Each structure stands twice: as C-alpha cells, then as structure tokens.
Amino acid sequence: TGGNRELDRALERAYQADVEAQNAFGHARGNFQNALDSIALYKRNRQVPQLIKAEAAARKAEHALQEAKQQADITREELYVAKARARGLPELMTGPKGRQGITVSFTDLADHILRDVGDHIKRSGKWPFIVDPSGRSSVFMQYRDSNYQNLLLGRDMEPEALRKAVLGSIRFGKNLVFDMMDVDMTAHLKKALDEVHPALLMQLLT
C-alpha cells in the first residue's frame, strides 16, 4: 500500500542518514585520537611550540567529536524509530492504574528517559523505573550508548562485570541499565552489588 511504501522510504532515508552520521563519528574519533597521539609525542620530545599547536588542534578535534557523537545518536534513534514504524510495532503500553508516573509513547522514550525533556526525572529526585509489557524499551536501551546489564545472565551479575558497568557509567557519563526481564531481581541485584561495595544499590538510587 501507499502507506507501507512511504514507511519503507522513510526507513531507507533514516538508514542512509545513520550510515553517514556513524562514518562521520568514526572519522572524528580518529582525528581526535591522532591529536592526542601528537600531544603525547611532543611532550616526550619536549617540543613546546608544536605541543601548543597540537593541544589547540586537540580541543578543536574534541569539539568536532562531540558534535559528531550527538548527530550519530540522533540518527541512530531516528533509524530505530523508523524500523519500529515500518514493522508496525505498537506504541508503548500504559502501566498499572494508580501507580505514580507518566505514560510515554515509545517514540518519545529517549526524550523522557535519556534527555529528561520536561525535567520529570530531575524534579522527582528519583531514577526512572520503566514498565513496558511489550519489551521494546529493553531492546532500545541495549542499542543506545549505555552500560546494559541483563540480570538474568550470570556473567552480567558477576561482581567484576557490575563494577566495570558502574565505573564506566560514572567515568563516561553513560546510562546504567539493569534489565530485570520481567522478573523481580531486586534482592539478587542488591546482593551482587554489595559484593562490589556495601550498600551500593542504595547509593546508585539516591
């Protein structure tokens, strides 16, 4: 049908835009790494004039990298949404009545959970808890730039894996995702995190 063809064309456009953005991001990352390598070289050789120029170039390359990363995130998100629409996947379902929170459509998930548009998370002072009977949000988070831990996988529950996930999120500003896969794993998660650091779960949640 005409509607399906338009969705397919939108998906193709989103795919091409994502490929271009990811390539640009990779190029910018390479430029930034080259700038850092130049700084290290000039520092070792004590070449001050060259070092000053290299540091300026690195700052410029870092700014370009940040812009490329933002654009790559946007196009990847748009590609995911285009895929969902082309496949006719349903919107995010509403949670149980009487529970405090907001209902968010799947296409707006990134704005509310990752960017906190409207400052709902900031104003609440709490970290988000997603109720999604469709299971699509967990897939969405897996392919974002996040540290994703599937709590039903033994390797993801190992103390060292949890430690690296927590430290990586703190160091690089990534989202830390604990996916319970429709099973209440809170007690098990608390116990595993306690092996990393006492009361770590509460420290992460407050």
Side-chain angles (χ1 to χ4, degrees):
T1 63
N4 289 337
R5 285 196 295 271
E6 180 56 36
L7 289 174
D8 289 340
R9 286 194 291 267
L11 177 57
E12 179 62 24
R13 290 193 298 269
Y15 175 76
Q16 292 297 333
D18 183 63
V19 169
E20 293 175 5
Q22 300 305 324
N23 287 339
F25 175 49
H27 182 70
R29 185 166 49 190
N31 287 342
F32 182 54
Q33 185 59 56
N34 290 338
L36 294 180
D37 292 342
S38 296
I39 289 175
L41 175 64
Y42 295 139
K43 278 186 176 179
R44 285 197 305 270
N45 296 334
R46 299 182 180 180
Q47 296 171 279
V48 177
Q50 292 89 337
L51 176 59
I52 294 174
K53 291 181 180 179
E55 288 176 339
R59 287 191 293 270
K60 185 176 181 180
E62 183 177 17
H63 179 71
L65 176 60
Q66 290 172 348
E67 290 186 339
K69 177 65 167 61
Q70 291 174 356
Q71 185 60 34
D73 284 344
I74 291 172
T75 56
R76 180 55 54 86
E77 176 186 334
E78 290 174 345
L79 174 60
Y80 188 88
V81 171
K83 284 181 178 179
R85 288 174 176 169
R87 294 169 183 170
L89 296 178
E91 292 296 321
L92 196 66
M93 297 176 66
T94 305
K97 294 182 178 179
R99 297 290 179 88
Q100 185 178 4
I102 61 173
T103 301
V104 177
S105 68
F106 179 75
T107 54
D108 293 333
L109 190 63
D111 282 341
H112 288 278
I113 300 300
L114 303 181
R115 302 189 186 99
D116 194 21
V117 173
D119 290 333
H120 295 289
I121 298 174
K122 182 179 179 180
R123 289 201 305 269
S124 72
K126 301 177 181 178
W127 292 106
F129 181 87
I130 303 173
V131 178
D132 175 17
S134 74
R136 291 167 61 205
S137 58
S138 63
V139 177
F140 172 78
M141 296 303 296
Q142 286 183 57
Y143 293 99
R144 298 296 298 184
D145 188 20
S146 63
N147 286 338
Y148 174 90
Q149 302 297 113
N150 184 331
L151 301 188
L152 294 186
L153 296 179
R155 64 175 182 272
D156 281 6
M157 284 286 280
E158 293 177 357
E160 182 62 14
L162 293 172
R163 185 185 72 84
K164 289 181 178 179
V166 172
L167 290 178
S169 294
I170 294 173
R171 181 176 181 184
F172 299 109
K174 293 184 177 183
N175 293 284
L176 177 60
V177 181
F178 294 129
D179 190 352
M180 297 188 183
M181 302 294 289
D182 297 326
V183 179
D184 187 358
M185 299 285 291
T186 307
H188 297 282
L189 176 60
K190 180 181 181 301
K191 182 178 179 181
L193 288 172
D194 280 344
E195 295 184 34
V196 178
H197 189 278
L200 179 54
L201 179 58
M202 291 307 299
Q203 293 179 41
L204 292 174
L205 296 176
T206 57

